[in-house]
Amino acid sequence: MNNRLSYTSLIYFILRATSLGISFALIVRFAKQDSWLAIIIGTIIGIIPVLLVEYIAKYESDKTFVDKIKIVFPKSYKIISTIMLIGFFTITIINFSNLTTLITSQFLSKTPNIVIAIVFIIPIALLITKDNKIIARVSLILFYVSIFLFLMSLLGFLNQLDLSNLKPALTNPILPSAYYYLSFNIMPIFLILFFPNKDIIPCLKKGYLLSSITIFIIIITTLAILGPDLTLLYQYPQFHILKRLYQDFLTFRLENIFAVQFIFDIFIFCVVCLKNCNHLLNFHQGYKQIIIPIILLIITTLLFATNTVSYTNMIINISLIFSIFFAFLILLFSIKIFTKKLIK
Amino acid sequence: MIKKLMTLIIIILCSGCWNYQELNEYAIVTGMALDYKNNEYQLSFLISNGNKSENDQTKISVLTGSGITIYDAIKDVSLMSPKELYISHLSIVIVSEEVAKNGIADLIDFLMRDPQSHQNFYMVLAKNDKAQDMLSILSPLADYPSQKITLNVKNSAKLQGKITDANFNLFIHKLLAKGFEPIMNSLIIVGNEEEGQTPESQEKAKQDAYTKLDTIGIFKNDKLVGWATKEESIGISMLLGNISTVYFNIPYYNEYAVTVSNDYKIDYDVSKDKIIVNVNAEGSLKEISCNINLEDKNEINKLEKKVEEEMKKYMEDAIELAKNYQTDIFGFGNLIYKKYPKFYNEIEDWNTYFTNFNIEINTSFKYTSRGTLDQSLKQEIYE
Amino acid sequence: MTSQQQIKIIKNTLGNSSDIVTRNINDIISYIYLESVSSDDKISNFLMQSITKITSIEQLFNQLKNNIYNSHIVIETDINKCYYYLSSGYTCLFIDNEKNFIAIETQMKLDRGVVESTSEPLIRGPKDSFTENNAINLGLIRKRIKDPKLRIDELKIGRRTNSKTSIIYIDDIANKESVKKIKDILNKIDIDGILDTGYLRDFLNKKQKTLFPKIISSERPDLACQSLLNGKIIILVENSPYAIILPALLVDFFKASEDYYQSNISTSFSRILKWVAFFITITIPSVYIACMTFNQEMIPNQLLISLATQRSQVPFPTFMEVVIFVIFFEILREADIKSPSASGASMSIVGALILGDAAVTAGIVSPFVIIIVAITSICELVFTDMDFINAIRQWRLLFIFSTIFTGLIGIVVMLLILIIELASIESLGVPYLAPFSPLNLNSLKDSIVLSKTNKREKRASYLTKNRTKVKS
């Protein structure tokens, strides 16, 4: 009971991290009004990777994941771990640059990207040096804040929802969007395997369901308020609808406060990714742990500091390639474990 | 140790703050007006000054600049302003007739793209006058002109039937939706505008000039195509359905009875060849100058039928107007698209199809209250 | 050696201090005591009377041992230990040609008696507080918890002060490993002397250096006994009226002992106010700076123009105003605390007058800043624990510092760092954010909102394994 809610909140944040600028645009591009249906189908089909991951986690559950890779792939261990390392790095860079572009485009428009990157690296580097227990505790408290803001914003939107914007229903292709939503979920689920297994296994399904429900509610409210044309037009539509909150009776503009829930998602995602990189490289103590985040993130914000449409498309393509690789990896893992168990 | 390194790095890098701007170094723009001058955009900003004046009132000033594009005009204005322009608290945008006739897509693109603008302001047209003059007319009842116009639009939307809510978000939504064309309110200046801009005119009890809300302007895509009359405006508002109360002057026995409807429900029955609009309203009698007996049920029924006829007439006039200009401002195309998307996609241009489309209107009205008097006063007097 | 020679050695070692009194009886018995700490009445009433009852000289030592009227005597062989007993107010009795000596308790009361607490006042509830006398402190606890399982273990810390340190816990409730940890830490202390329980803080905090306090210092025995019943451990040091309560969690700083004496609804209300005050006092100056300089879009329309008007009359940048004022208020509070009560009242009036009207009319600050800083100071006064207030002050400055450079994002980042900091503190193995972060639904009944007594039947599971309170 003690740890279950903390790890559920961890999974919740990780699965929501890509939903801000990356996966949302892609889903709505194909299945405009019917994106909500695409998410439902994606969630149902997405149970399969979750079950496979649970299966992998239960096999030899008292060993760490690095040891498990050595057991399951005794010969090609190094190749697989290097590709995993590169995958984690690039995904972290992509999400982190997404965060910095969100902040430079909406909050601080004149500050260069690198200053914002440095400001955010500090809590990331601080949290990487701590144990898994502490990461779980931090994510639980951020979870309280995030759920509170989410529910408050839902209450504020209730009288602006116009469900007729979701009609005409079932006129757009749904399956490509479901496939894209699914592929953006596979990579975070794979990240979870690096946590201690006895804590993670009871929380996987609940965290997955919770994050899917919140993403579903966000997509439905965005489409209902803005309509499918405007949703495609804006860069961050979930952020835009927050500007319309409480306009009738409160004169404050609260979108800056409510946008904090998106910042938390990406923060926890980057922390977990980089911690897994440290696990793969066996950096467990001292200053070595924070070298990787600092150097890589500074270099890449210098390189990828633009905010153009082609850049967003490039990000999406890279994420899709890596998610295919990780899906393939999960399949390979489960097949090998299954054959090992059969041999026994 | 880690923390000390981090704080050192921050201190070294943040030796200049890029976004730092004190509040009194901003020129706070509350109103914007767009005109044409020699085929160039002429943009005027109403700036509320942050310094106190002698009479303890906020000083305002109107700055005007011109340019080929909207952003060009803004930079022209900033050449004459001592402070940086800040449009985050914009509350009203006034567009003149000529600009609207040529299309306002440039203005809307700029206002949506800028991260500083928050799109919760009102947009109105300026009829028969220059838009920048409307920004400079002072009023003793409000601190600055843009506040007066904003409150005017907001309160009229609740109380009257011919002014719809001129929200910018609603305008964009109608602009981009299929089968829907936007509309906009308009402002006129009554009186002598030269004298209305001086503070001395405010000290008189009767003002020299003031701005007033007028009828609705009809758009096709983003261009203004025509104006509606007062009755047609009421009809447009009723068909759009986003009003709470609407009033009618009912001609009856050569005199008038004024009726206000409090509870107004509209219902659309959509099919491929026609749309049936059902309006159910309940209302109260506000003013009656006819000589009739209010206790007689037949009289009341006759009056109610007259109200229904008037409502139907207003709405049919409005539909005629829209068909003449070949724009569908009521959203019937949108309703058909939502119910029969394939049928809608087969029609090439909904606006031309709309001119021959059959729309039936059924109205029903019932009196629920008659104020505090039991009988008509004229009847009591001339009994 | 004769007793007189032994006494001479002791007198020389003590450097012939002026408060040494020695006496020789019949050339066989001699005793020595320090008149500054020993009470003459006890010596004359008990010791001398018992000595005069002795008739024969054989077996003098045994006779004395068995017949002395004083109730507390100690028999020692090592003469180096008699200095400790002499300083504690005992009388040391030496007999000719006898290696052992008898130390007889004749202490004088040198404290102020049990009076009302000065720093933690209370409206409804017991008003006695700990004093500087060790026996009285232990007595105030012992008379409240009349359980045979109450354990009081004693250590002596400090090379030159040899202060008695008592570790108090209830045997079947408290965690045995925590007690062992504390004893290990205290045994390793090698220091000249400790004069107050505050000296122990550095040693107890050695593992993690944080600003937030991991111990609670309290002067009230009823708070100490409540903590004992919940499974916590108390450390008392001689000559100090403050008791240390371990382990301390974040929620404990928002509780007051009178919470349990009032109705649970009024307690819940005041605790919610305390939590709100906590967040306000840490974040409001930085929120003001962020709103005025970076994120002006958060301010509503009407307030915007009046704020801009106020800002234009002030020459300093916003953050300088806020920082100067916060520091000035802190200085004012320090002056208020340390000044004697005669001139205390006028100082605060002068300070408030200066800060208020005169600064505004002189054009140094804008009136809004004064309101903001006054709100922060008032919200800070809600808390009583000095360590916690110091932690709040430092974090407030850190928040202001990060907001100066990046605005609202600085507040978010600093909030993340604060949460990481709080989540990684562990006080005696118990996580600092205990009922919230490893979520413990049972203990939530006592954290922000208090539920009725009959619904709070179990103790917190992170503090103790013995969870039942009410056995039916």
Side-chain angles (χ1 to χ4, degrees):
Chain A
M1 176 56 192
N2 294 342
N3 291 332
R4 240 184 258 175
L5 199 57
S6 355
Y7 282 99
T8 318
S9 63
L10 202 63
I11 299 174
Y12 166 83
F13 278 127
I14 296 178
L15 284 171
R16 267 175 57 130
T18 50
S19 81
L20 180 59
I22 304 180
S23 67
F24 204 75
L26 197 58
I27 295 174
V28 179
R29 194 188 297 172
F30 288 96
K32 304 193 179 83
Q33 298 98 298
D34 306 322
S35 314
W36 54 281
L37 211 54
I39 294 210
I40 291 180
I41 296 179
T43 315
I44 295 175
I45 305 182
I47 283 284
I48 302 176
V50 173
L51 291 174
L52 284 178
V53 161
E54 204 173 324
Y55 181 64
I56 299 177
K58 276 188 188 157
Y59 171 73
E60 303 240 5
S61 55
D62 41 349
K63 304 213 171 136
T64 62
F65 190 62
V66 184
D67 294 334
K68 252 194 253 190
I69 304 178
K70 287 186 189 162
I71 295 174
V72 175
F73 294 105
K75 294 170 200 165
S76 41
Y77 157 70
K78 289 220 168 171
I79 303 174
I80 288 189
S81 59
T82 35
I83 302 184
M84 270 208 288
L85 202 63
I86 297 175
F88 289 156
F89 280 156
T90 38
I91 297 288
T92 319
I93 291 165
I94 285 171
N95 274 314
F96 192 74
S97 60
N98 194 20
L99 177 66
T100 48
T101 44
L102 168 70
I103 291 177
T104 42
S105 64
Q106 309 290 342
F107 288 74
L108 305 165
S109 32
K110 300 180 201 162
T111 330
N113 273 11
I114 186 167
V115 173
I116 295 182
I118 291 178
V119 168
F120 268 100
I121 283 173
I122 293 173
I124 291 181
L126 200 57
L127 196 50
I128 288 180
T129 56
K130 318 260 180 194
D131 289 340
N132 288 327
K133 255 193 320 182
I134 296 182
I135 298 181
R137 281 184 220 161
V138 168
S139 79
L140 183 60
I141 297 209
L142 296 180
F143 178 69
Y144 294 146
V145 177
S146 173
I147 286 281
F148 172 71
L149 290 175
F150 178 71
L151 290 173
M152 291 292 288
S153 53
L154 259 192
L155 281 177
F157 282 137
L158 276 179
N159 63 339
Q160 295 179 23
L161 281 181
D162 183 14
L163 284 177
S164 66
N165 274 333
L166 294 174
K167 294 184 198 170
L170 298 173
T171 50
N172 294 328
I174 300 180
L175 282 177
S177 298
Y179 157 70
Y180 288 129
Y181 172 70
L182 177 67
S183 55
F184 280 110
N185 269 347
I186 289 185
M187 159 77 194
I189 296 179
F190 192 74
L191 276 178
I192 299 169
L193 281 170
F194 281 80
F195 281 96
N197 297 314
K198 59 175 172 54
D199 296 318
I200 283 291
I201 290 175
C203 311
L204 261 178
K205 288 183 208 152
K206 294 179 202 164
Y208 178 70
L209 268 177
L210 200 60
S211 67
S212 303
I213 289 176
T214 47
I215 294 182
F216 171 73
I217 292 180
I218 289 179
I219 277 198
I220 272 202
T221 43
T222 317
L223 282 173
I225 293 180
L226 288 179
D229 313 297
L230 268 183
T231 315
L232 274 178
L233 205 55
Y234 282 124
Q235 191 185 9
Y236 296 111
Q238 302 110 313
F239 183 77
H240 245 306
I241 55 173
L242 291 174
K243 289 191 185 184
R244 303 196 188 186
L245 261 184
Y246 295 122
Q247 267 177 4
D248 309 330
F249 52 90
L250 276 186
T251 45
F252 285 96
R253 297 188 189 164
L254 297 171
E255 80 264 5
N256 291 338
I257 299 179
F258 283 91
V260 148
Q261 43 180 324
F262 302 124
I263 297 181
F264 287 162
D265 298 337
I266 306 182
F267 170 71
I268 297 270
F269 182 83
C270 294
V271 164
V272 169
C273 255
L274 290 172
K275 188 142 181 76
N276 295 347
C277 296
N278 281 340
H279 273 306
L280 278 174
L281 288 173
N282 271 328
F283 287 163
H284 288 297
Q285 297 272 334
Y287 292 113
K288 284 199 245 176
Q289 286 174 301
I290 55 170
I291 290 178
I292 298 175
I294 294 181
I295 295 179
L296 269 164
L297 292 169
I298 291 180
I299 290 178
T300 51
T301 46
L302 283 174
L303 284 178
F304 294 109
T306 55
N307 186 12
T308 56
V309 182
S310 60
Y311 168 64
T312 323
N313 284 336
M314 179 179 75
I315 286 181
I316 292 176
N317 290 336
I318 296 179
S319 310
L320 285 173
I321 294 174
F322 274 109
S323 60
I324 294 177
F325 167 70
F326 280 112
F328 187 59
L329 198 63
I330 292 179
L331 269 177
L332 254 186
F333 249 97
S334 1
I335 293 177
K336 278 231 164 174
I337 294 177
F338 188 63
T339 48
K340 281 211 171 171
K341 282 196 176 172
L342 272 185
I343 291 175
K344 275 191 189 166
Chain B
M1 191 54 209
I2 298 175
K3 278 195 260 187
K4 291 181 195 165
L5 270 178
M6 301 292 178
T7 43
L8 263 179
I9 293 176
I10 300 185
I11 294 176
I12 295 173
L13 267 177
C14 296
S15 46
C17 311
W18 288 262
N19 259 73
Y20 180 87
Q21 186 83 272
E22 287 283 349
L23 189 58
N24 57 332
E25 292 170 17
Y26 272 140
I28 302 170
V29 172
T30 45
M32 197 161 121
L34 191 58
D35 286 308
Y36 256 154
K37 178 181 161 183
N38 306 332
N39 283 338
E40 277 188 345
Y41 284 121
Q42 195 181 37
L43 206 58
S44 319
F45 286 117
L46 177 70
I47 300 176
S48 309
N49 203 2
N51 298 330
K52 272 198 175 159
S53 67
E54 294 108 21
N55 357 345
D56 217 14
Q57 239 194 355
T58 43
K59 268 194 190 171
I60 54 161
S61 65
V62 176
L63 297 176
T64 310
S66 47
I68 309 173
T69 56
I70 306 278
Y71 197 70
D72 203 11
I74 291 182
K75 286 305 163 187
D76 197 33
V77 174
S78 67
L79 286 174
M80 49 181 105
S81 147
K83 304 181 186 177
E84 189 179 324
L85 290 173
Y86 184 64
I87 59 172
S88 184
H89 283 85
L90 194 64
S91 53
I92 186 98
V93 172
I94 308 180
V95 179
S96 79
E97 242 182 294
E98 304 157 329
V99 178
K101 282 189 179 151
N102 281 337
I104 49 173
D106 306 334
L107 179 68
I108 295 180
D109 182 84
F110 169 72
L111 286 173
M112 279 170 69
R113 199 180 287 270
D114 196 21
Q116 239 184 25
S117 78
H118 287 234
Q119 290 103 353
N120 56 346
F121 48 83
Y122 294 125
M123 231 162 123
V124 287
L125 290 170
K127 197 173 179 183
N128 302 333
D129 280 306
K130 287 198 110 175
Q132 49 182 300
D133 293 333
M134 302 196 179
L135 273 186
S136 12
I137 292 185
L138 305 166
S139 158
L141 295 171
D143 284 338
Y144 34 95
S146 52
Q147 195 187 42
K148 187 243 173 206
I149 301 176
T150 315
L151 290 175
N152 207 353
V153 175
K154 215 197 302 192
N155 289 328
S156 302
K158 286 186 220 155
L159 300 171
Q160 289 199 51
K162 58 181 181 175
I163 311 292
T164 62
D165 204 5
N167 208 347
F168 185 64
N169 286 329
L170 203 58
F171 190 85
I172 302 177
H173 184 252
K174 287 188 199 172
L175 194 61
L176 291 172
K178 289 191 188 180
F180 221 141
E181 304 290 342
I183 55 174
M184 228 197 265
N185 296 316
S186 62
L187 276 181
I188 55 171
I189 299 182
V190 176
N192 189 348
E193 67 205 37
E194 292 284 329
E195 294 200 15
Q197 297 174 12
T198 56
E200 283 86 34
S201 76
Q202 287 187 286
E203 300 187 9
K204 299 188 203 171
K206 183 168 169 183
Q207 285 176 273
D208 285 323
Y210 47 91
T211 51
K212 189 173 168 189
L213 282 173
D214 207 51
T215 56
I216 295 180
I218 315 178
F219 277 71
K220 186 168 181 175
N221 290 330
D222 63 327
K223 297 193 164 86
L224 178 71
V225 287
W227 294 102
T229 62
K230 187 171 155 191
E231 287 82 18
E232 288 160 353
S233 308
I234 297 181
I236 295 177
S237 315
M238 287 206 290
L239 275 172
L240 281 173
N242 55 348
I243 48 169
S244 49
T245 67
V246 66
Y247 80 96
F248 316 99
N249 294 332
I250 315 290
Y252 201 57
Y253 288 125
N254 301 326
E255 303 274 358
Y256 287 98
V258 178
T259 310
V260 169
S261 84
N262 304 319
D263 201 7
Y264 182 85
K265 289 193 193 84
I266 191 165
D267 202 0
Y268 302 101
D269 208 354
V270 183
S271 60
K272 279 189 188 172
D273 42 353
K274 66 176 178 186
I275 291 184
I276 305 177
V277 179
N278 299 320
V279 172
N280 295 323
E282 292 178 345
S284 52
L285 189 63
K286 284 292 184 189
E287 185 188 322
I288 182 158
S289 26
C290 331
N291 195 350
I292 59 172
N293 186 5
L294 285 179
E295 284 179 10
D296 193 356
K297 266 196 188 169
N298 292 333
E299 290 279 352
I300 299 287
N301 281 341
K302 276 207 278 185
L303 200 57
E304 283 177 357
K305 284 223 165 39
K306 195 73 178 127
V307 172
E308 289 172 8
E309 280 174 26
E310 280 296 308
M311 281 165 66
K312 194 163 174 182
K313 181 160 151 303
Y314 282 171
M315 290 199 263
E316 283 175 350
D317 285 345
I319 296 180
E320 275 303 308
L321 177 78
K323 283 187 180 173
N324 282 341
Y325 283 117
Q326 290 192 347
T327 65
D328 177 9
I329 53 179
F330 311 105
F332 293 134
N334 201 328
L335 290 171
I336 290 195
Y337 171 65
K338 285 182 177 160
K339 200 160 177 192
Y340 306 107
K342 284 189 190 155
F343 176 66
Y344 183 84
N345 286 331
E346 282 165 19
I347 305 175
E348 286 168 15
D349 186 18
W350 168 252
N351 285 330
T352 45
Y353 189 83
F354 171 67
T355 46
N356 303 324
F357 200 70
N358 192 9
I359 301 170
E360 273 180 31
I361 304 177
N362 299 328
T363 58
S364 92
F365 184 79
K366 211 168 151 158
Y367 270 115
T368 51
S369 115
R370 58 185 186 281
T372 51
L373 286 183
D374 272 343
Q375 277 284 7
S376 122
L377 190 63
K378 261 203 175 161
Q379 199 197 25
E380 298 289 312
I381 297 175
Y382 291 107
E383 197 135 272
Chain C
M1 271 208 286
T2 65
S3 56
Q4 291 214 334
Q5 283 172 333
Q6 284 180 319
I7 290 218
K8 244 195 198 156
I9 296 173
I10 296 175
K11 225 178 155 179
N12 280 339
T13 322
L14 286 174
N16 284 327
S17 298
S18 57
D19 53 348
I20 299 180
V21 173
T22 62
R23 182 156 172 189
N24 187 314
I25 304 170
N26 291 342
D27 280 335
I28 306 177
I29 306 174
S30 338
Y31 62 75
I32 178 172
Y33 67 92
L34 297 172
E35 70 175 346
S36 50
V37 282
S38 306
S39 100
D40 284 330
D41 289 340
K42 284 193 189 169
I43 297 175
S44 58
N45 286 341
F46 299 136
L47 184 56
M48 291 308 298
Q49 282 203 5
S50 46
I51 288 182
T52 51
K53 289 276 170 66
I54 292 176
T55 46
S56 65
I57 301 185
E58 298 99 32
Q59 296 286 321
L60 197 55
F61 187 75
N62 282 339
Q63 279 190 39
L64 276 174
K65 183 177 76 165
N66 295 332
N67 293 331
I68 291 188
Y69 282 7
N70 294 53
S71 58
H72 180 77
I73 62 172
V74 183
I75 300 181
E76 281 285 350
T77 49
D78 186 3
I79 203 172
N80 291 325
K81 291 204 183 158
C82 91
Y83 303 110
Y84 173 73
Y85 288 112
L86 277 178
S87 301
S88 303
Y90 286 56
T91 309
C92 292
L93 195 89
F94 291 90
I95 303 179
D96 274 354
N97 302 325
E98 182 70 49
K99 243 193 327 175
N100 303 345
F101 67 92
I102 307 179
I104 307 163
E105 189 262 325
T106 52
Q107 268 173 333
M108 182 161 74
K109 267 173 91 55
L110 282 174
D111 55 66
R112 50 191 166 106
V114 178
V115 290
E116 210 173 300
S117 154
T118 46
S119 63
E120 295 177 42
L122 190 64
I123 299 179
R124 190 215 182 283
K127 296 192 200 233
D128 51 357
S129 78
F130 287 131
T131 65
E132 284 85 8
N133 188 332
N134 198 31
I136 292 184
N137 292 348
L138 293 175
L140 286 172
I141 294 184
R142 181 67 87 171
K143 75 171 181 172
R144 284 180 161 89
I145 301 186
K146 302 186 174 96
D147 194 359
K149 302 259 183 168
L150 179 70
R151 300 273 183 267
I152 302 181
D153 298 335
E154 195 173 283
L155 303 166
K156 294 203 174 49
I157 304 186
R159 264 183 275 130
R160 287 179 198 264
T161 56
N162 272 320
S163 320
K164 288 189 213 168
T165 313
S166 329
I167 303 174
I168 309 173
Y169 57 96
I170 300 186
D171 197 24
D172 56 350
I173 301 179
N175 200 348
K176 297 272 174 40
E177 288 126 21
S178 311
V179 178
K180 192 166 169 316
K181 257 194 244 180
I182 295 178
K183 281 189 188 166
D184 287 340
I185 295 176
L186 290 179
N187 277 329
K188 288 192 200 145
I189 295 181
D190 188 18
I191 191 177
D192 259 353
I194 62 170
L195 301 165
D196 187 84
T197 44
Y199 277 72
L200 294 176
R201 184 182 306 126
D202 280 341
F203 297 99
L204 290 167
N205 273 356
K206 232 184 199 159
K207 259 202 263 171
Q208 277 166 322
K209 302 225 159 56
T210 69
L211 291 169
F212 278 94
K214 294 203 270 194
I215 57 175
I216 303 179
S217 310
S218 170
E219 220 184 15
R220 315 246 330 279
D222 54 339
L223 181 65
C225 294
Q226 279 167 11
S227 324
L228 276 177
L229 289 171
N230 281 332
K232 300 199 182 171
I233 303 167
I234 296 185
I235 302 182
L236 279 170
V237 170
E238 188 181 20
N239 300 326
S240 162
Y242 281 92
I244 288 185
I245 306 178
L246 297 160
L249 307 169
L250 186 66
V251 272
D252 293 331
F253 294 103
F254 295 84
K255 292 185 197 177
S257 52
E258 54 188 341
D259 285 349
Y260 301 101
Y261 310 147
Q262 295 173 350
S263 87
N264 64 323
I265 297 180
S266 50
T267 311
S268 312
F269 189 62
S270 61
R271 277 199 196 162
I272 293 177
L273 280 180
K274 281 190 186 172
W275 276 97
V276 170
F278 176 65
F279 285 114
I280 287 182
T281 188
I282 288 190
T283 55
I284 266 204
S286 35
V287 165
Y288 174 72
I289 296 178
C291 276
M292 292 288 284
T293 53
F294 283 89
N295 295 74
Q296 290 91 349
E297 63 257 11
M298 281 176 51
I299 311 178
N301 284 12
Q302 280 171 312
L303 198 55
L304 188 72
I305 296 188
S306 75
L307 279 179
T309 314
Q310 287 177 14
R311 271 293 316 154
S312 62
Q313 297 165 347
V314 174
F316 300 123
T318 315
F319 67 90
M320 217 145 93
E321 285 182 308
V322 174
V323 168
I324 288 179
F325 254 77
V326 166
I327 294 180
F328 208 82
F329 258 85
E330 300 298 335
I331 295 179
L332 191 68
R333 276 200 77 194
E334 287 291 323
D336 211 16
I337 293 177
K338 295 294 190 317
S339 67
S341 51
S343 55
S346 54
M347 294 274 279
S348 47
I349 293 178
V350 164
L353 274 179
I354 289 179
L355 288 173
D357 261 349
V360 170
T361 45
I364 306 179
V365 289
S366 57
F368 209 70
V369 172
I370 295 187
I371 297 175
I372 296 269
V373 179
I375 290 179
T376 39
S377 304
I378 291 175
C379 288
E380 191 184 293
L381 291 172
V382 168
F383 301 104
T384 51
D385 196 294
M386 276 314 291
D387 300 323
F388 196 65
I389 294 181
N390 286 335
I392 290 181
R393 284 185 200 169
Q394 273 124 20
W395 275 96
R396 189 192 302 149
L397 282 178
L398 276 177
F399 265 81
I400 293 178
F401 182 72
S402 74
T403 315
I404 292 176
F405 294 115
T406 43
L408 204 66
I409 298 298
I411 297 184
V412 172
V413 165
M414 217 58 208
L415 200 66
L416 282 173
I417 297 181
L418 177 67
I419 293 178
I420 296 175
E421 177 86 14
L422 285 176
S424 42
I425 303 177
E426 280 190 6
S427 165
L428 271 191
V430 183
Y432 202 62
L433 290 171
F436 304 120
S437 194
L439 184 66
N440 194 335
L441 280 176
N442 192 30
S443 313
L444 276 183
K445 291 184 191 163
D446 194 11
S447 56
I448 300 185
V449 177
L450 192 64
S451 39
K452 286 193 187 162
T453 318
N454 56 354
K455 301 217 171 134
R456 284 183 277 125
E457 280 184 3
K458 296 198 172 176
R459 299 192 184 94
S461 62
Y462 45 81
L463 283 178
T464 167
K465 295 203 175 70
N466 180 355
R467 297 191 63 201
T468 51
K469 273 189 192 179
V470 176
K471 268 194 177 159
S472 51

